[in-house]
Amino acid sequence: MSDALTYIMGQEDHASYRLQTHAAGPEGSLPLTGDMLLNWPSGDLFGLSQNVGMGWKPDRLHGKQVLILSTQGGLRAEDGTPIALGYHTGHWEVGLLTKEAALEITELGGVPFAGYVSDPCDGRSQGTTGMFDSLPYRNDAAMVYRRLVRSLPTRSGVIGIATCDKGLPATMIALAGIHDLPGIIVPGGVTLPPTNGEDAAKIQTIGARYAQGQISLQEAADMGCRTCATPGGGCQFLGTAATAQVVAEALGMSLPHSALAPSGQALWKNIARQSARAIYWMQQNGIRMSHILTDAAIHNAMVVHAAFGGSTNLLLHIPAIAHAAKCRIPDVADWSRINKSVPRLVSVLPNGPEYHPTIRVFMAGGVPEVMLHLRKLGLLDVSVKTVAGENLGTLLDWWESSERRHQIRQQLLETDGIDPDAVIMSPAQAKSRGLTSTVTFPTGNIAPEGSVIKSTAIDPEVVGEDGIYRHTGRAKVFTTEKSAVKAIKDGHIIEGDIMVLIGRGPSGTGMEETYQLTSALKHLPFGKYVTLLTDARFSGVSTGACIGHIGPEALAGGPIGKLRNGDLLEVIIDLASLEGSIQFIGQGEERFSPQEGAVILNSRPSHPELRPDPQLPDDTRLWAALQAASGGTWRGSIYDVDRIIEVLNAGHTYLEMLKKEKRSSSCD
C-alpha cells in the first residue's frame, strides 16, 4: 500500500466491518386516521414516518410544528469548547437559543424543527476576496431560508435566530416574505468588551498602527487575544450587526428589549423561550407577518435607526425588508426627511460622544427606552402591531413601569458607575452634548445619483463652528483597496488628502466593505484630516469624513470613475441641515464651477486602470447584474423579479431584432 493510503486509511479496524443490515424501527404506531390516509398528501404522511425515525415519540406528532431557522456556525461540545470553529462569535452560541426555543415549543405541546444557514463574517473577510461575497450572500441566504420555510409545508410558524451583519438582514428579509405565517426574530445579542483591552472595531487597526509605530508587536498580540471577551454575540459597537438587531425590534419583529442582550447569559436565553411563546400566541390569535410589517413599521424602524445613529448599511437592508414585505420602498428623500427630524439620542461606540459598548446601551434600556423619548416627540406610529401580541403603545406603557427596566438600569449604575441617562439621553440632553443627526446624502458632479456619509461620526475637531465640514484638496485615486491601504501604511497619505477609491461598487467587487481604510484613518493621528470618497460601502463601525455608495458607480460610467490624481475636489457637509456636496472644481492650476466640472468629467474617458476585480466570482457578477436591473443599491440591492423578467424579455426582443436585421442584410 502506498504511503498516501497508509496515512489516510490508517490501521485496519476489523470491528467496524461487522455491519448491521436491518433494524426493528421505532416502537409504537403513527396516530393515523382514515381521513388522513384518504386526504393527506403523501409528503405529509411520510413526514410523520421521518419524524419518528429521528426519535420523536409517535404520540406527540400532532402538535403545532414550528420551524426554527438560525445562522448557527461551527460545532460546540456540550461544555462549550470548540470541536470545529464557526466563522465568528455572532453565530457561535445561537444554537443555545435554538435549544431554548425548541424546549419551550415542546413544553407547549408543539413539534420543533430546526434548520441552519450559516453566515460569513465581515470582520474576517476585510481586505480579502471573501468580501466579494459579503453583500451578495444576503440575497442568497434569504432565498435559501424562504425555500426551507416552503419545504416544510406543515409548519405553522417560523422563528428566525441571527446576530450579525448579513445573516440577520437575510433572516429578516426571509421572514418579511412569509406574509401569511406568524414569524419572530430572536436577536443573537452581543459579546462583552474586555476588562482591559480594545473593542473589536479598534483591534482591526493593529496592522496600520504597528506600521506607523504606534503599538509594539507584543501589544498587538496581547490585545488581539482579549478583544472578544466572551465567546458569543455580535461586536461591542453599534455597527451593522447591532444596528440590524435594533431595527428588527423597531420593526416589531422582535420582543421588547431583546436587541443587544449579552450572549450566553440567562436573560438572553429566556428571550428565546419568550419568543417561542409569542409564536404560539400569534398562531392562536391569527397574527401574521403581514400584520406586523407595514409602511408604518418601516417608518418606525427608520426613525429608531436615526435616533441610535446606526450603520449606513441599513440603507441597503431596510429597503430590502420593505420590498420582501410588499411595503413601499423608502427612497433617499425619505431617509433625508427622517434624519432631519429625528434627534440622535444614543452615546455609543463608534459615534460617541462617550464610547459606550453596546451592552451598556442594552442595560440603559435599549430600543424601548429610546422609543419612550421618540413617542414623546410624536415621531412614532404607536398603533402598529408587534410580535408581542400588543401594539407598540401598549408595549411602551409596560416598559416604562416595568421592574425589568428599573432593575437593569440601576445595575448599570451600580456595576459600571454609568448613569443610564448618559447613554440613552433625552432630546434636550443630547442637544446640549452636541449630538447631531445620523446621515447626510451628498450630491454633486461626482455623485449625481447621490451618496451617503454618517455625518454624525465626523470628528468634531474638523467641523467648523457653524457646524459645517469643509475640505478642499487634491485627489489621490486608487482602483484597489489593497493599494489604498498600502499607501496609508507606507506614509503616502498625508493630512489634507482626499482619497478616492473607485471601481469597488457592485460591478467591481460586489460592493465591498472598506473598513480597513476607514478604521486606519480613524486611529491614525492625521486621519481626521483626510476625506475618503468611494463607490464601495463601509462597515457600520466606520467614522470620519468617509463618503460611500457614490452613484452611479465607476464601472457604470459614473463620474467618480473619471477622476485623476491631482484633481481639485471640494467636500461640504452641513451637520445641522444634513445637506452636502462633493464637487470636482479644478485641475492643475485651473479652477472652475461645479457645472463646468461636470462637463469636463462627462468628456473624460474612465480611469485607465478601472476594471472589475479579476478575482470577482461569477456568482457575484450575476448578483450585481440582477440587483442593477432591480434598481441598484438605492433600492436595497434587491431582486425585483418583475423588473428582471422585463429586462430579460426586452433583451430577448432586441437580440431577435438584431438577428432579423442580420438575416435581412445577408439576403440583400
Side-chain angles (χ1 to χ4, degrees):
M1 191 159 63
S2 70
D3 290 344
L5 287 174
T6 299
Y7 172 72
I8 294 168
M9 302 304 290
Q11 295 292 323
E12 296 282 356
D13 183 4
H14 297 286
S16 69
Y17 301 158
R18 293 191 290 273
L19 304 176
Q20 182 179 337
T21 60
H22 55 83
E27 295 183 0
S29 300
L30 297 181
L32 297 174
T33 65
D35 179 70
M36 292 165 64
L37 291 172
L38 290 171
N39 296 304
W40 277 24
S42 63
D44 289 356
L45 294 170
F46 181 57
L48 299 177
S49 297
Q50 295 266 39
N51 295 348
V52 296
M54 288 183 280
W56 201 257
K57 299 300 181 185
D59 60 356
R60 299 182 59 196
L61 286 170
H62 280 328
K64 293 281 188 182
Q65 296 183 5
V66 177
L67 176 58
I68 307 169
L69 294 173
S70 82
T71 56
Q72 179 180 330
L75 185 63
R76 303 168 72 255
E78 283 297 315
D79 64 358
T81 56
I83 298 171
L85 292 170
Y87 285 55
H88 55 90
T89 60
H91 64 214
W92 180 245
E93 289 188 325
V94 296
L96 300 176
L97 294 173
T98 300
K99 180 180 179 180
E100 294 296 326
L103 290 173
E104 187 70 22
I105 291 165
T106 302
E107 289 181 16
L108 293 168
V111 182
F113 286 75
Y116 311 96
V117 181
S118 194
D119 54 346
C121 175
D122 281 1
R124 187 179 292 273
S125 61
Q126 287 294 336
T128 76
T129 56
M131 184 54 71
F132 299 169
D133 291 290
S134 171
L135 182 55
Y137 159 90
R138 184 205 68 180
N139 289 18
D140 296 343
M143 287 195 297
V144 173
Y145 274 133
R146 287 193 294 264
R147 291 189 188 280
L148 289 174
V149 172
R150 294 190 296 265
S151 297
L152 186 67
T154 49
R155 75 282 183 264
S156 62
V158 183
I159 298 174
I161 303 176
T163 308
C164 284
D165 296 34
K166 302 304 175 298
L168 181 50
T171 307
M172 287 194 281
I173 291 167
L175 264 64
I178 58 169
H179 312 111
D180 296 326
L181 281 173
I184 192 168
I185 293 288
V186 182
V190 299
T191 189
L192 299 185
T195 303
N196 296 296
E198 295 182 349
D199 65 85
K202 189 173 183 179
I203 206 68
Q204 294 182 52
T205 68
I206 53 178
R209 286 185 288 152
Y210 176 75
Q212 293 285 327
Q214 292 190 12
I215 58 174
S216 69
L217 176 61
Q218 191 59 52
E219 287 173 326
D222 290 346
M223 291 186 298
C225 188
R226 290 192 298 270
T227 195
C228 296
T230 50
C235 296
Q236 306 105 329
F237 47 80
L238 190 72
T240 306
T243 306
Q245 293 185 39
V246 166
V247 164
E249 188 174 330
L251 285 165
M253 297 179 77
S254 299
L255 292 179
H257 201 225
S258 59
L260 314 181
S263 181
Q265 298 190 36
L267 183 147
W268 173 83
K269 292 180 181 179
N270 195 36
I271 292 170
R273 294 253 181 183
Q274 294 164 339
S275 298
R277 294 197 292 272
I279 277 287
Y280 264 71
W281 181 270
M282 294 174 75
Q283 290 169 347
Q284 293 165 2
N285 291 274
I287 302 173
R288 305 290 183 257
M289 289 310 299
S290 58
H291 299 144
I292 305 297
L293 291 175
T294 61
D295 289 346
I298 299 295
H299 165 83
N300 285 349
M302 295 169 69
V303 168
V304 173
H305 173 272
F308 267 80
S311 163
T312 54
N313 279 319
L314 271 294
L315 274 69
L316 295 165
H317 302 319
I318 289 178
I321 294 166
H323 173 259
K326 298 189 183 302
C327 296
R328 177 182 172 275
I329 297 176
D331 56 25
V332 173
D334 297 315
W335 285 104
S336 183
R337 171 178 49 80
I338 286 173
N339 276 273
K340 288 178 179 180
S341 62
V342 177
R344 181 166 68 92
L345 304 177
V346 182
S347 182
V348 62
L349 279 166
N351 302 333
E354 300 296 328
Y355 299 114
H356 297 293
T358 43
I359 178 61
R360 289 181 180 170
V361 178
F362 178 79
M363 296 181 73
V367 173
E369 193 70 23
V370 172
M371 282 184 155
L372 287 179
H373 293 298
L374 297 173
R375 179 171 68 169
K376 290 179 181 177
L377 294 172
L379 295 171
L380 294 174
D381 186 330
V382 295
S383 68
V384 295
K385 291 184 171 65
T386 73
V387 294
E390 299 287 356
N391 66 31
L392 179 58
T394 302
L395 283 190
L396 294 181
D397 290 341
W398 163 79
W399 172 254
E400 192 166 21
S401 59
S402 70
E403 188 66 19
R404 173 174 176 150
R405 177 188 183 226
H406 172 76
Q407 287 197 20
I408 293 177
R409 281 167 56 86
Q410 183 64 27
Q411 186 186 348
L412 177 60
L413 183 61
E414 294 172 355
T415 303
D416 286 11
I418 300 296
D419 180 358
D421 291 331
V423 180
I424 297 175
M425 305 179 192
S426 68
Q429 185 179 359
K431 185 176 182 180
S432 70
R433 290 299 308 275
L435 273 69
T436 54
S437 295
T438 305
V439 292
T440 300
F441 301 91
T443 56
N445 62 25
I446 297 173
E449 288 183 359
S451 62
V452 65
I453 178 174
K454 190 196 287 186
S455 48
T456 193
I458 298 176
D459 193 307
E461 290 187 17
V462 296
V463 178
E465 292 184 1
D466 57 358
I468 299 176
Y469 173 80
R470 298 178 177 86
H471 185 183
T472 299
R474 298 288 179 178
K476 289 185 176 176
V477 181
F478 303 89
T479 57
T480 69
E481 185 188 22
K482 183 177 181 180
S483 62
V485 170
K486 188 175 188 302
I488 291 175
K489 289 183 176 181
D490 291 349
H492 295 153
I493 299 299
I494 61 174
E495 179 178 322
D497 285 341
I498 297 182
M499 298 184 71
V500 182
L501 179 62
I502 63 174
R504 314 313 281 180
S507 301
T509 65
M511 203 177 189
E512 68 182 359
E513 188 178 270
T514 57
Y515 183 59
Q516 279 197 115
L517 290 174
T518 59
S519 62
L521 293 175
K522 176 178 179 178
H523 294 290
L524 294 175
F526 61 85
K528 69 180 71 174
Y529 304 105
V530 175
T531 298
L532 173 62
L533 310 179
T534 183
D535 53 4
R537 61 192 176 90
F538 302 127
S539 166
V541 73
S542 295
T543 60
C546 302
I547 302 173
H549 299 221
I550 290 177
E553 64 172 315
L555 284 163
I560 188 175
K562 300 180 179 183
L563 295 176
R564 301 290 192 273
N565 287 331
D567 283 343
L568 189 66
L569 310 182
E570 177 192 70
V571 177
I572 299 176
I573 309 293
D574 189 325
L575 277 68
S577 69
L578 300 186
E579 302 288 344
S581 63
I582 45 176
Q583 309 279 15
F584 165 57
I585 60 167
Q587 53 186 355
E589 298 303 315
E590 184 184 6
R591 301 290 182 273
F592 36 73
S593 70
Q595 293 75 22
E596 292 169 323
V599 173
I600 294 171
L601 286 177
N602 187 54
S603 65
R604 273 187 184 178
S606 293
H607 194 285
E609 297 176 16
L610 179 65
R611 60 183 60 87
D613 194 286
Q615 294 181 281
L616 189 68
D618 285 346
D619 302 321
T620 300
R621 291 177 59 215
L622 178 61
W623 165 85
L626 293 175
Q627 66 88 36
S630 303
T633 56
W634 291 106
R635 291 191 81 230
S637 293
I638 58 174
Y639 292 161
D640 185 327
V641 175
D642 291 335
R643 280 198 184 196
I644 292 168
I645 292 173
E646 182 181 359
V647 170
L648 288 173
N649 287 339
H652 286 311
T653 301
Y654 178 70
L655 290 174
E656 286 300 317
M657 181 187 70
L658 290 180
K659 286 181 182 179
K660 290 179 180 179
E661 289 178 354
K662 185 176 182 181
R663 285 196 296 267
S664 176
S665 62
S666 63
C667 291
D668 294 341

